[in-house]
């Protein structure tokens, strides 16, 4: 029986391929974006059935966001492509819905501008430091995404069909409160990304 050499260095496992189930789900989420936008804006956003379908497609996209992250971590499928593509897919989905809702007059434009400005800025930061390393999503960033998903999901629902008067006002107020919380977390985490990007760039330069 041959004994294993205790001094032998174990061979490193090969890095995961970009073509894996986690990254495929990320691409599927991107593909769902135009469908959500079409269903939301069709008929001026007034058809309750189309709004429900838009909500269903939006939820499906949100589920893929949850699943692809879990698969990537559990099956060791984390790739640099996934680290970059996953948050970009989230930004495309949420940004498209925000613009659509603002276009319909349901979400104030200033909220859309603040959130999209932060998202575009963070994306630019990621590419600014990408040759020095990848900035993964933080816990605060994940909370921001959850709050945005919940708030926009509530806005997508045909609340006017289900409620009237005070009940509709409460439902709309709740959705707006969650969206405001998302705005606060969005701004705070955006500042955190700036700090992390500057530190990463400085540490990379210091290591030369």
């Amino acid at each position: 029986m041959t004994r294993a050499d205790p001094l032998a260095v174990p061979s490193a496992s090969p890095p995961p391929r970009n073509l894996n189930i986690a990254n495929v789900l990320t691409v599927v989420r991107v593909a769902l974006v135009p469908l959500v936008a079409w269903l939301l804006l069709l008929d001026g956003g007034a058809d309750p059935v189309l709004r429900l379908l838009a909500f269903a497609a939006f939820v499906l996209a949100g589920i893929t966001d949850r699943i692809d992250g879990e698969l990537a971590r559990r099956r060791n499928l984390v790739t640099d492509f996934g680290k970059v593509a996953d948050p970009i897919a989230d930004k495309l989905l949420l940004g498209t819905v925000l613009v659509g809702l603002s276009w319909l007059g349901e979400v104030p434009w200033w909220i859309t501008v603040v959130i999209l400005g932060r998202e575009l800025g963070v994306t630019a930061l990621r590419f600014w430091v990408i040759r020095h390393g990848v900035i993964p999503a933080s816990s605060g960033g994940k909370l921001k995404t959850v709050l945005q998903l919940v708030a926009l999901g509530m806005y997508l629902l045909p609340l006017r069909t289900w409620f009237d008067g005070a009940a509709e006002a409460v439902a709309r107020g709740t959705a707006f409160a969650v969206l405001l919380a998302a705005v606060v977390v969005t701004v705070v985490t955006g500042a955190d990304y700036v700090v992390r990007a500057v530190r990463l760039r400085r540490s990379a330069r210091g290591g030369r």
Side-chain angles (χ1 to χ4, degrees):
M1 179 177 181
T2 304
R3 294 185 179 181
D5 185 355
L7 299 180
V9 178
S11 58
S13 58
R17 297 182 301 171
N18 283 328
L19 184 57
N20 59 60
I21 184 61
N23 289 343
V24 168
L25 286 173
T26 300
V27 174
V28 169
R29 185 157 71 258
V30 174
L32 285 170
V33 171
L35 176 62
V36 174
W38 180 70
L39 292 170
L40 171 62
L41 297 176
L42 196 63
D43 196 31
D47 190 315
V49 175
L50 293 176
R51 291 295 287 257
L52 277 176
L53 290 174
F55 173 78
F58 182 76
V59 170
L60 178 60
I63 290 174
T64 66
D65 181 36
R66 176 69 177 179
I67 295 176
D68 65 7
E70 289 292 329
L71 287 174
R73 287 186 293 271
R74 291 183 180 180
R75 299 188 180 183
N76 192 27
L77 299 177
V78 177
T79 63
D80 285 344
F81 171 83
K83 290 179 182 178
V84 174
D86 183 68
I88 290 178
D90 294 338
K91 291 171 176 56
L92 283 174
L93 175 65
L94 296 170
T96 299
V97 174
L98 270 171
V99 171
L101 289 170
S102 292
W103 184 267
L104 295 173
E106 299 181 26
V107 169
W109 275 107
W110 71 266
I111 290 181
T112 297
V113 170
V114 168
I115 292 179
L116 291 187
R118 182 270 191 193
E119 303 298 359
L120 291 174
V122 168
T123 300
L125 280 174
R126 287 179 181 276
F127 285 105
W128 181 53
V129 300
I130 195 168
R131 65 190 182 97
H132 304 297
V134 175
I135 305 177
S138 65
S139 56
K142 294 175 182 177
L143 173 61
K144 174 266 304 178
T145 301
V146 170
L147 288 173
Q148 290 180 1
L149 285 170
V150 172
L152 296 183
M154 294 176 69
Y155 271 98
L156 285 173
L157 289 171
L159 297 178
R160 292 177 182 174
T161 305
W162 297 345
F163 306 104
D164 58 2
E168 181 188 354
V170 171
R172 292 288 179 187
T174 302
F176 187 67
V178 177
L179 188 56
L180 283 181
V183 170
V184 172
V185 178
T186 296
V187 173
V188 172
T189 55
D192 175 63
Y193 272 112
V194 173
V195 173
R196 294 167 65 191
V198 171
R199 286 177 178 172
L200 176 59
R201 194 173 177 87
R202 285 179 178 175
S203 63
R205 286 181 174 179
R208 292 178 180 176

